[in-house]
Amino acid sequence: MRRRNEEKIFGASAALPLCAFALKKVKPFQTILILSTAFLAVFGETVFSAPRALLGAQLDLLPAIMVYAALHAGLPTISLLAVLGGIWFDTLSANPLGVSILPLAAIGWPIYWRRDLILRDLPFAQLVLGAAASAAAPALTLLMLLSGGQELLLGWGTLWQWIVMAAGGAVATPFIFSLMDACNAALGYKLRTEVSFRPDREIRHSRKKL
Amino acid sequence: MFKQKNYLALGAVVLVAIVLLSLPGRATSRLKLAVGSWFLPLFGLASAGQQLPADLADSVLTRHELLKQVDNLRRENQQLRSQAVQSIAIARENDQLRALLNWQRQTPWKLKLANVVMRDPANWWRTVQIDLGSKDGLRENLPVITSAGLVGRISSVSQTHAQVVLIGDPNCRVSATVENAARDMGVLVAGGTLDTSLVELTYLASSANLKPGQSVITSGLGGIFPPGIPIGQVVDSRSVEYGLYTDARVKLNANLGSLEQVWVLFP
């Protein structure tokens, strides 16, 4: 009877077990959303070369997406993003296959383990994390390529490209956060907001009707 | 339990990375081709999207503008026809002279037009992908050119796409000749990281007499690029390694930053 009353007032999803079920359902959707964004970001980097023409360097959005994943998703999603994102990037690039996986993972894991200490909703925090991640990812990838004996196109211009990638990643991170949150809000399950009113604790002033 | 989960995820990612990095070259390229095929529908969409503005622009051209273009094309066609007649006569004469000297006959180049569908997302490589593959007869190391000059060579081929490593990438070295009296020869290597139009011509003789504006063409040595393909022009030169040899900067004829269509050359 009480359950029926709750449903009358809050709708079918009002009960707590249903809400918990909804929360569990958010995660696969979020993983799919993050991976789809990474897939499109890698593709976009190969097709839209305006940053390269204007600034002399192509921006990499994978570190920014990894920052979002590390702050909002679980460890399996972060690991999947590192593996799939790295493989997708290396497939469309002349990189040896698998070289971008560990740099991406090396960005995601530390943020994930310290995410309780990070003010993830502050745009400034997102900006700083995006800059650090976007600077670290190419540096680590270059380190891996050079230690593998690869001959790369490096010079003083690389320093400029690194700065552009870090700055571009920093600017892109808050946008990616907003975009992903908007997608989550539009397509994912909505969280039920808690209200202080509980019908079972309502003081009844009238006499019970028999 | 939580810690064990973390270690499992970490171990799995490291394992995947190590396995992929230690795969043999053929397996890696097959895997790359397989994963690359996931992007094919998006490439189709992107090329259709790129074509759309051009189609729209064509549809709004005025009749006067179209007539003007037709007139210009007709004039250009006449010029090219007269040049073709002249070149046929020269080719015939060349064949006769070669026959007199018992030299091997030159076979004419076969060209195939390809669209550039994507650029390398990494800043430390200079490669592009084209929409021709092994089904079109492409194979590794075929030269790629534009009407302006040499662009690069095919580095890997899938069934429908091929990767072209451009001049200026460390993996594309070209033996080149400067068109001067001494026909100085050197090797074209990577130039600046930011300016795609400049490359370095190195290992030129210390006595090389280089002047800005001199043309640089392929020498034909190395067996990949046929001789005589224009590459660019000398910008400046300097003596290096205490006068041991000379380096020159070469401005490329082809604009590698805005490649849209290229020709694959079948020698």
Side-chain angles (χ1 to χ4, degrees):
Chain A
M1 185 65 192
R2 190 192 293 169
R3 176 71 177 255
R4 200 173 285 168
N5 277 338
E6 282 176 13
E7 282 183 2
K8 268 184 191 169
I9 296 163
F10 296 108
S13 65
L16 198 65
L18 277 176
C19 180
F21 178 71
L23 270 171
K24 267 186 186 173
K25 277 280 179 184
V26 165
K27 284 180 181 173
F29 171 73
Q30 200 177 35
T31 306
I32 292 166
L33 183 70
I34 288 169
L35 292 178
S36 313
T37 311
F39 186 78
L40 290 174
V42 171
F43 173 73
E45 286 167 31
T46 64
V47 176
F48 304 109
S49 51
R52 202 193 300 263
L54 291 170
L55 304 164
Q58 182 61 279
L59 303 180
D60 186 7
L61 297 178
L62 280 180
I65 296 168
M66 180 53 92
V67 170
Y68 177 84
L71 290 178
H72 289 88
L75 203 61
T77 306
I78 296 166
S79 305
L80 258 178
L81 177 64
V83 171
L84 289 178
I87 288 176
W88 290 333
F89 189 89
D90 295 339
T91 298
L92 297 186
S93 154
N95 281 345
L97 194 67
V99 84
S100 306
I101 294 175
L102 289 179
L104 280 174
I107 293 166
W109 287 331
I111 298 175
Y112 173 76
W113 283 320
R114 291 279 173 268
R115 70 176 174 183
D116 296 338
L117 305 173
I118 296 167
L119 299 168
R120 69 187 78 174
D121 293 329
L122 279 184
F124 182 72
Q126 296 165 5
L127 196 99
V128 171
L129 280 172
S134 303
L140 290 170
T141 311
L142 275 179
L143 203 70
M144 284 193 69
L145 286 167
L146 288 173
S147 57
Q150 295 279 342
E151 205 179 337
L152 306 169
L153 192 60
L154 294 177
W156 285 109
T158 309
L159 202 63
W160 167 252
Q161 288 176 335
W162 187 60
I163 292 166
V164 169
M165 286 174 87
V171 173
T173 307
F175 284 107
I176 283 171
F177 270 66
S178 313
L179 181 80
M180 300 287 252
D181 287 342
C183 285
N184 258 328
L187 303 169
Y189 286 89
K190 286 188 180 93
L191 286 174
R192 187 177 68 90
T193 47
E194 292 286 332
V195 287
S196 55
F197 176 73
R198 283 181 60 178
D200 57 320
R201 289 194 179 175
E202 190 182 10
I203 301 165
R204 296 172 201 278
H205 295 289
S206 58
R207 274 187 190 176
K208 273 187 181 176
K209 285 176 187 173
L210 293 169
Chain B
M1 187 63 195
F2 179 74
K3 270 190 177 176
Q4 202 181 350
K5 253 186 183 176
N6 284 353
Y7 287 126
L8 270 175
L10 200 145
V13 171
V14 172
L15 191 73
V16 169
I18 290 171
V19 166
L20 286 175
L21 284 170
S22 54
L23 279 176
R26 185 172 281 186
T28 307
S29 58
R30 276 188 182 176
L31 201 61
K32 271 194 172 190
L33 297 177
V35 179
S37 64
W38 299 2
F39 291 90
L40 287 181
L42 292 178
F43 283 133
L45 276 175
S47 55
Q50 281 171 354
Q51 194 60 35
L52 197 68
D55 290 347
L56 281 173
D58 286 349
S59 63
V60 295
L61 274 179
T62 59
R63 185 184 149 79
H64 175 74
E65 190 71 28
L66 286 170
L67 284 171
K68 204 172 160 186
Q69 279 187 10
V70 168
D71 194 42
N72 284 339
L73 287 170
R74 214 172 267 161
R75 211 171 296 159
E76 197 180 318
N77 194 23
Q78 297 259 329
Q79 276 180 355
L80 289 171
R81 271 189 184 174
S82 61
Q83 279 178 11
V85 170
Q86 204 178 354
S87 65
I88 287 167
I90 291 168
R92 201 179 297 138
E93 188 187 39
N94 189 30
D95 284 346
Q96 284 169 356
L97 290 170
R98 277 177 176 271
L100 282 174
L101 292 166
N102 280 333
W103 280 14
Q104 199 184 0
R105 268 185 73 162
Q106 272 188 327
T107 49
W109 293 345
K110 287 178 203 158
L111 298 168
K112 256 187 189 170
L113 187 67
N115 292 309
V116 175
V117 288
M118 58 149 271
R119 301 185 74 85
D120 202 312
N123 289 311
W124 42 84
W125 305 113
R126 214 168 269 176
T127 65
V128 293
Q129 290 231 2
I130 55 172
D131 62 352
L132 294 182
S134 56
K135 68 174 174 60
D136 305 291
L138 259 66
R139 55 180 194 274
E140 281 181 22
N141 290 332
L142 287 179
V144 178
I145 60 172
T146 63
S147 55
L150 187 69
V151 165
R153 66 174 173 86
I154 305 277
S155 60
S156 64
V157 187
S158 72
Q159 208 185 349
T160 53
H161 284 79
Q163 191 176 51
V164 179
V165 57
L166 304 177
I167 316 176
D169 187 280
N171 295 314
C172 184
R173 295 180 177 222
V174 185
S175 173
T177 304
V178 182
E179 285 197 305
N180 58 9
R183 309 278 297 172
D184 291 303
M185 280 172 64
V187 179
L188 219 60
V189 294
T193 45
L194 295 177
D195 194 353
T196 53
S197 67
L198 285 177
V199 290
E200 199 96 356
L201 182 61
T202 187
Y203 302 124
L204 288 156
S206 54
S207 58
N209 184 20
L210 300 175
K211 283 176 188 157
Q214 284 175 336
S215 291
V216 178
I217 57 168
T218 53
S219 70
L221 295 179
I224 293 176
F225 303 101
I229 303 174
I231 296 173
Q233 289 174 336
V234 173
V235 176
D236 52 21
S237 62
R238 64 196 163 92
S239 179
V240 286
E241 299 287 338
Y242 305 103
L244 198 63
Y245 57 90
T246 307
D247 271 3
R249 284 195 308 162
V250 175
K251 189 166 178 62
L252 297 173
N253 286 342
N255 185 0
L256 301 185
S258 61
L259 286 175
E260 284 178 3
Q261 288 187 323
V262 292
W263 295 94
V264 181
L265 199 150
F266 294 80

